[in-house]
Amino acid sequence: MIQQDNLYAVVVWYNPTEEQAHSLLSYLWAVRHIIIVDNSQKNNNSLLSDIPKENYTYIPLGDNLGIATALNRGCRTAIDAGAEWILTMDQDSVWDKEQLLYYIDTANKYPNIKRVGLFSPRQDYTGHTRHYPADYEEKIAVMTSGCLLSAEGFRATNGFRDEFFIDEVDNEYCMHIHRLGMQVVIVNDALLVHQLGEKRMVRFMGLWRKEYIDHAPFRYYYIVRNNLQLSKLYPEYKTFNKKRLIKTIKRIVLYDRIHKCESLRMCLRGWRDFRNGVFGRLDL
């Protein structure tokens, strides 16, 4: 059962703002302890001055070692301290108190909770919400922010894949969970406020407006490289991954008005490095 005594939070920082640091307060009350793993080159411990020191552990890495390595460091620290469940958070994700209470309570009511590798909320990054007919839904993959990871599942997978560095880290973990016979479950009406990339609005072919999530070009390198590696590692999800990759390329070609050529160049570089077995951090 998920309860405050056995629930730890892990949040990964990268050059956080003061406002993002204060987002910890939106879930501090619900967990036993927060572990902050900082991928920044600068030490940001001063941003924690309003939070009692006994409520958090700050781990500065001194460099950007990637989301996977940071999550692994935080989750292993939490499990060593006694965590049975881990709430994984992005620095720009914020919980409404009622939503988080509902999320944990509904997760605890799941009939096969012992088989669950992770629970996920619905992430609201569009400003649009909807209600679902069922309380739960099994998914192939979900985003990491807001997830409740079981310590048992983390130990069984041996954590996140460090060489992915950033993108597809969450999807690989979920696919690994499935392969081990565990479940990935969304609590449908639990809503986490999350910022995913930068929203842009374009007028497509001069006829209608289209809103899409934009990324910096270098992100597409990781998306392409790691997506192709997922299909190699998990051939049972090859169709799922291929569809997502095609959708990403289409989005660049059709909607990107700012850095289309650079984004496509990074996609090509990601494909080339996948073919050559080159992983880890991209040297720009």
Side-chain angles (χ1 to χ4, degrees), residues 9-25:
V10 171
V11 57
V12 177
W13 278 4
Y14 179 68
N15 298 332
T17 65
E18 186 174 350
E19 180 181 3
Q20 289 169 340
H22 286 164
S23 69
L24 274 63
L25 297 173

Side-chain angles (χ1 to χ4, degrees), residues 26 29 95-106 189-191:
S26 71
W29 56 272
W95 277 107
D96 172 81
K97 185 174 183 178
E98 293 302 317
Q99 290 289 335
L100 183 51
L101 283 169
Y102 172 79
Y103 178 41
I104 295 173
D105 182 59
T106 307
D189 288 325
L191 195 65

Side-chain angles (χ1 to χ4, degrees), residues 79-80 82-84 150-159 173 180 182:
I79 291 171
D80 287 346
E84 295 179 22
S150 73
E152 181 181 353
F154 185 87
R155 283 190 290 260
T157 61
N158 199 31
Y173 185 86
L180 294 170
M182 292 180 281

